[in-house]
Amino acid sequence: MTDVWEERKKGLEEEYFHRKEQEALEKARQRLAAEELERQRAGSVLRCPKCDARLEEVSFQEIQVDRCTGCQGVWLDPGELERVTARETQGWLTHVWRRFGR
């Protein structure tokens, strides 16, 4: 009778440690997945300065500008504003741009 109880205790103990091991493995998997996601976000993906969403390149008058997928803001690289305003002669943007010395 004692052997049966000893075997039962041993079986429960093994089951406990197996369950703890599985929980630890799952936590490690979740941590690795979170780290990988963070690496992908920090990689070559441009982020919006306003809301930190991803920026996508869109074509505007044959000029590639960055548009936010979150707040829909438009972000220009150096020289792109000059290229946009150079194409129009009577628009409000050209008047503002010329007024400030450009």
Side-chain angles (χ1 to χ4, degrees):
M1 186 80 148
T2 308
D3 291 338
V4 174
W5 288 112
E6 290 299 321
E7 287 180 32
R8 174 76 174 139
K9 280 174 52 176
K10 185 176 180 182
L12 290 173
E13 185 178 341
E14 288 177 6
E15 181 182 324
Y16 171 80
F17 283 112
H18 178 72
R19 189 173 57 244
K20 287 297 185 181
E21 187 177 272
Q22 293 300 316
E23 290 172 4
L25 285 172
E26 184 59 33
K27 284 183 183 179
R29 283 187 195 110
Q30 289 175 355
R31 182 178 44 82
L32 288 174
E35 288 173 0
E36 178 64 25
L37 182 62
E38 187 61 34
R39 273 196 297 275
Q40 288 175 353
R41 284 184 178 171
S44 63
V45 176
L46 295 175
R47 310 302 285 178
C48 176
K50 182 178 177 185
C51 69
D52 201 37
R54 187 177 58 82
L55 294 179
E56 64 181 358
E57 279 194 352
V58 295
S59 181
F60 176 75
Q61 296 181 357
E62 299 176 11
I63 300 169
Q64 295 297 319
V65 297
D66 301 316
R67 183 177 64 196
C68 177
T69 57
C71 67
Q72 302 301 313
V74 176
W75 303 96
L76 303 173
D77 294 331
E80 288 178 343
L81 182 61
E82 291 88 348
R83 290 175 58 198
V84 170
T85 58
R87 293 176 184 248
E88 64 178 67
T89 57
Q90 300 298 319
W92 66 271
L93 187 57
T94 302
H95 293 293
V96 170
W97 191 247
R98 286 184 185 151
R99 178 179 221 145
F100 289 106
R102 293 284 176 168

